Amino acid sequence: FARSLKHDSWQKWVPLVVILVVVALLMYMYWWTAEEKQKEFIIRPIEPKPNEIKALLITSTGKVPIPGHQFEDKLMFYSTAGLEPLPIFLLIHSEDRGSSGKDWAHLFESLASQGTYFAPDMINYGYSIPGPTTMKRVISWEEHSDNLNVFTDHMFPDRNDIILVAKGNSAKIAFKTAREQRKKVAGLVLFAPLFDESWIYDIEDIPVLLIWAKEDAVVPFTMSHRVENGFYDIQTLYFESILPEGVSPKEAHNPEKFKAEHIDIKLQEW
């Protein structure tokens, strides 16, 4: 190339130089614009798909005063959330030590999408007053039911669409509450309930959804036929096996932890 310049023949290299410059400019513009488009894509908000349902589930809490003995202050704590105004799902936890409304956490999203749930902590449990560390006396299951009646009258004075949800030993609390709130209770969702025919007199016509894992080690599945025979309008959801390998057999008493989607679908059908 240098020799060509000395002999005044450099003009023949001009087209090649022009081509190289043009190519360099095109490559620069390509990479520069590509980089800009990438940046634009990163900051662009993602649009939801047409068939996606985007909802924000907001949980609120409160306390309801419960009449007690002299010099006894009782406040029943509850959490609630819901995307639909009805029905009301009133969740009743067990009397086992350490229980609370949070025991139903695996169902919160499902129930909130189909109605509004209320998960109270019974007195002497959870965040209620008195609680586990401040309790002054043992409360019977009958009194727990009476406290739920006060809660129901306070929170739902004019409702007739309440569905009581109970499991195991909390079923008897649900049955007593259903009897005393008969005009307000529209149904019962029962998970492997303890059962006695004497507990359900006058409420045999309430619609029931009965859910049970056949490998339940807490309340035997053999009791299910007594529950079925006790109510006039009953639907069932039974699971043959729900436990992953290595999980304690007692966890079969909690099918909502492993089969929440199946329960959600059945609940919608019911």
Side-chain angles (χ1 to χ4, degrees), residues 23-37:
V23 170
L25 287 173
L26 289 174
M27 292 179 65
Y28 174 78
M29 292 178 64
Y30 173 81
W31 290 110
W32 183 81
T33 55
E35 183 179 0
E36 289 299 315
K37 288 182 178 179

Side-chain angles (χ1 to χ4, degrees), residues 118-176:
F118 285 79
D121 294 345
M122 293 189 291
I123 301 301
N124 288 352
Y125 293 85
Y127 293 108
S128 287
I129 299 174
T133 60
T134 57
M135 59 185 291
K136 299 178 181 179
R137 62 185 178 87
V138 176
I139 294 179
S140 67
W141 70 267
E142 292 93 344
E143 186 176 344
H144 283 310
S145 178
D146 293 339
N147 292 339
L148 281 178
N149 286 329
V150 174
F151 179 88
T152 302
D153 289 338
H154 179 87
M155 298 296 295
F156 323 115
D158 302 314
R159 301 298 291 261
N160 62 357
D161 59 340
I162 298 174
I163 296 176
L164 302 180
V165 184
K167 181 198 298 181
N169 61 22
S170 70
K172 56 186 177 182
I173 299 175
F175 296 147
K176 185 175 186 294

Side-chain angles (χ1 to χ4, degrees), residues 163-201:
I163 296 176
L164 302 180
V165 184
K167 181 198 298 181
N169 61 22
S170 70
K172 56 186 177 182
I173 299 175
F175 296 147
K176 185 175 186 294
T177 303
R179 185 179 306 108
E180 297 180 6
Q181 299 286 340
R182 184 64 187 85
K183 293 182 178 180
K184 297 180 181 180
V185 174
L188 295 166
V189 177
L190 303 175
F191 290 77
L194 288 177
F195 183 79
D196 188 278
E197 286 77 8
S198 63
W199 296 343
I200 63 167
Y201 71 89

Side-chain angles (χ1 to χ4, degrees), residues 9 12 47-48 61 74 77 100 102 132 152 157 168 181 192-193 204 226 249 251 257 259-260 265:
S9 59
K12 66 180 181 180
E47 298 294 333
T61 62
K74 295 194 295 183
F77 174 90
S100 72
K102 290 182 179 180
T152 302
Q181 299 286 340
E204 301 95 333
R226 292 179 57 189
E251 285 298 315
K257 291 184 179 181
K259 298 293 183 180
I265 294 172

Side-chain angles (χ1 to χ4, degrees), residues 251-266:
E251 285 298 315
H253 192 55
N254 305 306
E256 71 278 6
K257 291 184 179 181
F258 309 97
K259 298 293 183 180
E261 291 185 5
H262 294 77
I263 295 172
D264 181 44
I265 294 172
K266 183 64 178 180

Side-chain angles (χ1 to χ4, degrees), residues 211-229:
I211 302 170
W212 219 308
K214 293 184 178 181
E215 55 189 340
D216 194 321
V218 178
V219 182
F221 178 70
T222 53
M223 190 177 290
S224 62
H225 73 279
R226 292 179 57 189
V227 183
E228 289 188 50
N229 293 333

